[in-house]
Amino acid sequence: MENGQITYIGKWIRWRRKALGLSQAAFLKAHPLCSRKTLSLLENGKSDIRLDLIEDLLLAFDVRLQPDQTVLSDRCWNMLADAYETYDVPTMEARITRIETTLRPFSRDLFCRDALDFLDLLRRFLSRELSFDQAASLWRFLEPVWPRSVQDLALAMRYGAHLSVGVPFEEEKKLSQSEFLPNRISYGYRLWETDRRHLLSVHINQLESEVSYAQNPIRTMDLWILKLISFSKAERSDWKHTWNHITTHWNDVCLDSKRAVYVHNLTMAFFEKDELKTVARWLETVPDWSRTSLALRLVAIVTFSRLDKMDRLSLCLVSNADDSDNPQYPYLHYFRLKYEKGLNADTLLDALAKDVWPLARDDSFFGPVFERELRELVIQTRRYRLLTLL
């Protein structure tokens, strides 16, 4: 067994032990046949350890090692990544099923079980049911022991999960170094998030020279939307040119599998440019607010409020089961206090100053929304000293 695989096993054991809420001492007490020295060496990244001692530890987690397994080879993963590159969901689902069928007889093997976990997470990601907490376990598949295709897909899923809850992305360097087209486009979105406009312009020009609508319509549309987002209000003619590309192909059947994502991204783009009537038109296409991201619901609340469409706004105040774990949840809570409970201006200002503004101050997207809310409430209540928060 290679040193990299043993190092991975050490990280895996530490992760599983902590997931069970056990200290090393508590784990060893529960599993007295395990070696304290072996556990300590493995978890500290040592690789010169006898295989039988490692297997004793793994048995505590009901897994074992089958050295002949080829799950870490590239043979079945590259085709999966190729299908994701063109976002061919039916082909991906068929290939996931095929790989699962191959691996299931060996599911007690550590790496096979992890590979099955990976396929389950990928399936959830494709159906937009991957939670942020579930995505946290994807760290395993960014490790170099896995084939490059697995690492690329795991990185794409991690970034998607971070976007869905607005949490800062910690693996930006890996995103910038990836040669996988979807991740390179995602890196463009990351440049936009962090307001690095010059780098984003150079990055988009490079991508445009490598991808075409005829070859890869899904990723080309991704790129056009990224380009649309990147333009400032002063670049109106360039903006119109890109918008014409998007509208020309908008109804193409080949884009159906990702249309909901495009609606989300376009809504965000128009909202940032303060094109609220256009935002409202996109929002009218949302069939079920309970299945949308919190960020999209927040955009809808602000948009319908400013356009005085209160009947539409009330539909967006719905709270999903996983909203409370979302860093942007205080934003939704504030709007529910304002529009559902109808609290007075003083109470709203207290809630805004205490719970919302400390988060919104450094939020480049929603920060201006709550700065406007804060100013309006300060003027309404005449509590001008709170302007010092700005």
Side-chain angles (χ1 to χ4, degrees):
M1 179 165 285
E2 296 176 4
N3 288 347
Q5 290 172 271
I6 295 176
T7 302
Y8 175 83
I9 292 169
K11 292 180 180 180
W12 188 95
I13 288 174
R14 184 174 63 242
W15 167 66
R16 289 295 298 130
R17 175 179 61 76
K18 289 186 175 181
L20 294 170
L22 297 175
S23 65
Q24 282 194 358
F27 173 81
L28 291 166
K29 184 177 180 181
H31 302 282
L33 295 180
C34 294
S35 162
R36 180 185 301 275
K37 182 178 180 181
T38 303
L39 178 64
S40 179
L41 289 171
L42 265 178
E43 291 196 0
N44 284 300
K46 306 300 182 184
S47 57
D48 187 16
I49 303 170
R50 281 175 22 212
L51 194 58
D52 61 315
L53 295 175
I54 295 173
E55 288 178 330
D56 287 342
L57 281 171
L58 290 177
L59 284 174
F61 301 98
D62 194 32
V63 291
R64 61 190 180 192
L65 295 175
Q66 292 178 281
D68 294 335
Q69 267 305 315
T70 56
V71 69
L72 300 182
S73 70
D74 291 338
R75 64 188 178 87
C76 51
W77 301 107
N78 289 341
M79 290 191 299
L80 198 57
D82 290 344
Y84 182 73
E85 187 159 331
T86 58
Y87 208 75
D88 184 347
V89 175
T91 299
M92 287 196 75
E93 290 175 341
R95 288 175 180 169
I96 288 171
T97 301
R98 194 176 306 134
I99 298 170
E100 285 175 331
T101 302
T102 302
L103 294 178
R104 240 177 230 119
F106 311 100
S107 60
R108 283 203 65 196
D109 172 72
L110 168 64
F111 291 103
C112 284
R113 183 172 295 185
D114 270 5
L116 287 166
D117 281 352
F118 174 78
L119 294 169
D120 177 63
L121 293 169
L122 180 56
R123 199 188 293 277
R124 291 172 185 272
F125 178 69
L126 293 174
S127 60
R128 290 187 278 282
E129 295 175 354
L130 180 68
S131 71
F132 181 72
D133 288 341
Q134 289 169 336
S137 70
L138 285 165
W139 69 266
R140 293 172 283 171
F141 308 106
L142 298 176
E143 293 292 313
V145 69
W146 291 96
R148 171 54 59 187
S149 298
V150 173
Q151 295 178 52
D152 286 335
L153 288 166
L155 189 61
M157 288 191 276
R158 286 271 281 189
Y159 184 66
H162 278 73
L163 276 184
S164 69
V165 297
V167 172
F169 190 61
E170 297 174 354
E171 278 111 11
E172 182 181 315
K173 186 176 181 181
K174 290 182 180 178
L175 205 60
S176 69
Q177 294 173 342
S178 177
E179 296 180 3
F180 191 45
L181 178 61
N183 288 342
R184 295 176 66 205
I185 293 173
S186 293
Y187 179 60
Y189 278 97
R190 181 66 186 149
L191 291 174
W192 171 71
E193 282 182 79
T194 50
D195 205 27
R196 287 173 282 178
R197 304 263 175 182
H198 175 69
L199 285 175
L200 175 55
S201 178
V202 173
H203 189 66
I204 287 173
N205 289 339
Q206 179 63 36
L207 288 172
E208 282 191 310
S209 69
E210 299 174 18
V211 66
S212 70
Y213 190 84
Q215 295 174 329
N216 193 337
I218 289 280
R219 297 306 172 188
T220 303
M221 182 62 76
D222 282 340
L223 182 56
W224 285 340
I225 293 174
L226 173 61
K227 189 172 184 178
L228 188 81
I229 289 171
S230 73
F231 291 132
S232 66
K233 290 181 180 180
E235 298 171 296
R236 192 71 184 183
S237 59
D238 293 324
W239 188 94
K240 288 275 190 183
H241 180 71
T242 303
W243 178 241
N244 286 339
H245 280 314
I246 292 170
T247 54
T248 298
H249 295 282
W250 181 251
N251 292 318
D252 290 0
V253 175
C254 59
L255 302 177
D256 286 352
S257 62
K258 210 177 179 189
R259 201 174 304 279
V261 178
Y262 294 147
V263 169
H264 180 280
N265 292 346
L266 283 166
T267 300
M268 295 299 189
F270 283 113
F271 183 80
E272 198 213 13
K273 298 181 187 305
D274 206 28
E275 301 268 358
L276 295 187
K277 290 184 178 179
T278 305
V279 172
R281 283 199 291 273
W282 287 111
L283 293 173
E284 296 288 347
T285 68
V286 175
D288 182 2
W289 286 105
S290 66
R291 295 179 61 84
T292 60
S293 70
L294 178 54
L296 190 66
R297 276 174 280 146
L298 292 169
V299 164
I301 290 166
V302 175
T303 300
F304 291 138
S305 169
R306 292 182 184 175
L307 296 178
D308 200 26
K309 295 187 175 185
M310 305 309 289
D311 56 329
R312 298 292 300 171
L313 184 153
S314 63
L315 300 174
C316 312
L317 293 169
V318 61
S319 181
N320 295 344
D322 57 350
D323 281 346
S324 58
D325 296 325
N326 191 311
Q328 295 176 333
Y329 179 71
Y331 299 169
L332 177 64
H333 181 66
Y334 167 80
F335 285 128
R336 296 184 76 179
L337 293 177
K338 181 175 182 178
Y339 295 114
E340 280 189 342
K341 297 191 176 181
L343 299 186
N344 62 50
D346 275 304
T347 306
L348 286 174
L349 183 54
D350 289 339
L352 182 58
K354 179 183 176 183
D355 301 323
V356 176
W357 185 245
L359 298 172
R361 182 191 294 114
D362 300 319
D363 187 331
S364 61
F365 194 85
F366 286 110
V369 170
F370 291 103
E371 180 178 344
R372 176 171 168 170
E373 289 279 326
L374 186 60
R375 289 185 185 278
E376 289 176 354
L377 287 171
V378 163
I379 292 170
Q380 191 175 344
T381 59
R382 299 186 179 183
R383 293 164 63 182
Y384 298 110
R385 61 183 178 79
L386 289 178
L387 287 175
T388 59
L389 293 173
L390 299 176

